[in-house]
Amino acid sequence: MLSKIMPILDSRKLLAFVTLVRVGSFTLAAEELNITQSAVSHSIKSLEDELNLRLVDRRGRKIRLTPPGQQLLNHAHRILNEMKEARADLAHYVS
């Protein structure tokens, strides 16, 4: 029996997700990331579709994490921090 390979999470979508949660609005997240509000919304929707989970409850202009969203946030922080550390660790190879 072949096991299905699960695709990895996209770091740009994780960054949009973490930023959205931190600032609390799609508009502010877009401003901080220097992308459109539509791009932030699309990233979150795409992440939710890939995981087949609702990550945030959208209530007007406010967002609230769902339990799966909170769990993903914990992972996303660790993943993004590891990526930053990897870049920093490799920086001394750049001439």
Side-chain angles (χ1 to χ4, degrees), residues 7-58:
I8 62 171
L9 297 170
D10 184 312
S11 61
R12 291 167 296 188
K13 292 175 187 174
L14 290 178
L15 182 59
F17 175 69
V18 168
T19 304
L20 172 65
V21 172
R22 184 171 45 76
V23 300
S25 91
F26 285 88
T27 301
L28 293 175
E31 289 174 7
E32 184 168 317
L33 295 169
N34 200 29
I35 60 176
T36 65
Q37 187 260 342
S38 176
V40 174
S41 183
H42 178 75
S43 290
I44 302 307
K45 176 73 172 118
S46 178
L47 198 52
E48 289 179 324
D49 289 347
E50 287 173 23
L51 296 169
N52 199 28
L53 294 168
R54 187 134 184 107
L55 301 173
V56 295
D57 284 327
R58 297 152 180 86

Side-chain angles (χ1 to χ4, degrees), residues 77-92:
H77 280 300
R78 288 194 304 268
I79 291 165
L80 294 172
N81 284 333
E82 283 289 326
M83 292 176 78
K84 287 178 191 174
E85 287 179 24
R87 181 177 281 280
D89 287 348
L90 296 170
H92 71 277

